């Protein structure tokens, strides 16, 4: 087993048997096309037949922590996650979990959890499917 820390867009295609991504793609951009590109690169890093698991903050807006920091947010939901990953995966499953009222409210409405298997078919070419 090995791990690698890098930009998802630079991950070698078809390399990993399993990839996990938690609260990243929707939290590093406000651009739906860039979100889709991150997700496409993540999916493509897994070999055909390999597994993907991911979690997303549902409907996460741009938010602040403290006075001076501003963090990007790309609002996504279960339908958007499905639409972005469908061209690259099969057996795609997503569930939604309500927001936890005991943690700070940053404007999200909960979480979307996803699991899928990388498709054995050739994916479409070009940019990902934007939400």
């Amino acid at each position: 087993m090995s791990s690698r820390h890098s930009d998802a867009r630079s991950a070698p295609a078809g390399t990993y048997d399993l990839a996990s991504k938690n609260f990243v793609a929707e939290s590093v951009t406000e651009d739906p096309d860039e979100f889709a590109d991150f997700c496409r690169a993540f999916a493509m890093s897994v070999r055909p037949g390999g597994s993907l698991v991911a979690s997303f903050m549902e409907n996460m807006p741009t938010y602040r922590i403290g006075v001076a920091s501003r963090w990007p947010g790309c609002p996504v939901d279960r339908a958007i996650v499905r639409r972005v990953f469908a061209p690259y995966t099969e057996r795609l499953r997503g569930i939604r979990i309500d927001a936890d009222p005991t943690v700070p409210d940053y404007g999200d409405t909960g979480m979307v959890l996803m699991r899928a298997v990388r498709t054995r078919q050739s994916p479409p070419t070009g940019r990902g499917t934007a939400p």
Side-chain angles (χ1 to χ4, degrees), residues 5-35:
H5 176 83
S6 67
D7 184 315
R9 295 167 294 189
S10 68
T15 300
Y16 302 103
D17 293 325
L18 169 69
S20 171
K21 179 193 74 55
N22 298 291
F23 313 120
V24 177
E26 76 284 12
S27 299
V28 297
T29 184
E30 296 174 34
D31 180 353
D33 287 329
E34 189 173 30
F35 167 80

Side-chain angles (χ1 to χ4, degrees), residues 1-113:
M1 174 185 241
S2 65
S3 65
R4 178 179 168 173
H5 176 83
S6 67
D7 184 315
R9 295 167 294 189
S10 68
T15 300
Y16 302 103
D17 293 325
L18 169 69
S20 171
K21 179 193 74 55
N22 298 291
F23 313 120
V24 177
E26 76 284 12
S27 299
V28 297
T29 184
E30 296 174 34
D31 180 353
D33 287 329
E34 189 173 30
F35 167 80
D37 285 344
F38 280 127
C39 293
R40 179 194 48 76
F42 169 70
M44 296 303 291
S45 73
V46 176
R47 68 166 176 74
S51 298
L52 296 94
V53 293
S55 53
F56 304 86
M57 295 305 296
E58 182 185 56
N59 294 311
M60 178 61 104
T62 299
Y63 63 101
R64 294 185 181 278
I65 298 177
V67 179
S69 68
R70 180 181 178 276
W71 298 84
C74 186
V76 300
D77 59 18
R78 197 164 73 177
I80 290 169
V81 169
R82 174 171 288 286
R83 187 167 57 242
V84 168
F85 280 95
Y88 315 106
T89 63
E90 53 195 38
R91 300 197 313 253
L92 177 60
R93 301 285 184 265
I95 62 168
R96 181 189 175 279
I97 297 175
D98 287 333
D100 182 345
T102 66
V103 299
D105 181 3
Y106 294 111
D108 63 278
T109 56
M111 293 184 290
V112 175
L113 308 178

